[in-house]
Amino acid sequence: MSSSGSTYGDIHRYEPPRESTAAAVAIVLLTVVEIIFVGVFTYGLIKGWGIASLDGGFGNMFLGTVMAAMFVNLAFILLLYRKEFLPDVMIVKKRRRKWEDLYIREEDVDGESMTDGASESLKRALYPYMKR
């Protein structure tokens, strides 16, 4: 998977952004709609639409819907900006092996076999007073 001639940290692929006019116009229009949503939400908070005892909870649900619309609209603005105005860059990075994440030394990757030290343990079990 490693490509020849590229070292870690090099830019592997760089595609400049498209910067389309239609996306810029769409972002501006979505920003105007976002400002309207924020204005309606702020006005509703100031006027007390969120107090459930006044209207049976309808104002509270309305304010929640307006807030959800604000966040969905903001998501579309960010999606358009990222897709149309940010470059597509791929940087070559070093891929770490799994055992490096576990803080294991390279010589201990395979672990220990079941017979490592078995003869010494058997001797100690048979001769408990053996000199160490």
Side-chain angles (χ1 to χ4, degrees), residues 1-14:
M1 181 137 190
S2 64
S3 60
S4 62
S6 57
T7 60
Y8 300 122
D10 288 349
I11 294 177
H12 187 64
R13 182 183 71 224
Y14 180 87

Side-chain angles (χ1 to χ4, degrees), residues 86-117:
L86 289 180
D88 184 19
V89 178
M90 177 187 282
I91 298 175
V92 180
K93 291 186 177 180
K94 180 180 181 188
R95 188 169 189 182
R96 292 173 40 158
R97 294 181 291 275
K98 289 182 181 179
W99 56 266
E100 287 179 332
D101 292 333
L102 299 174
Y103 305 106
I104 297 174
R105 293 188 306 263
E106 190 166 3
E107 60 269 8
D108 294 336
V109 172
D110 297 324
E112 295 181 2
S113 68
M114 290 187 63
T115 58
D116 284 350

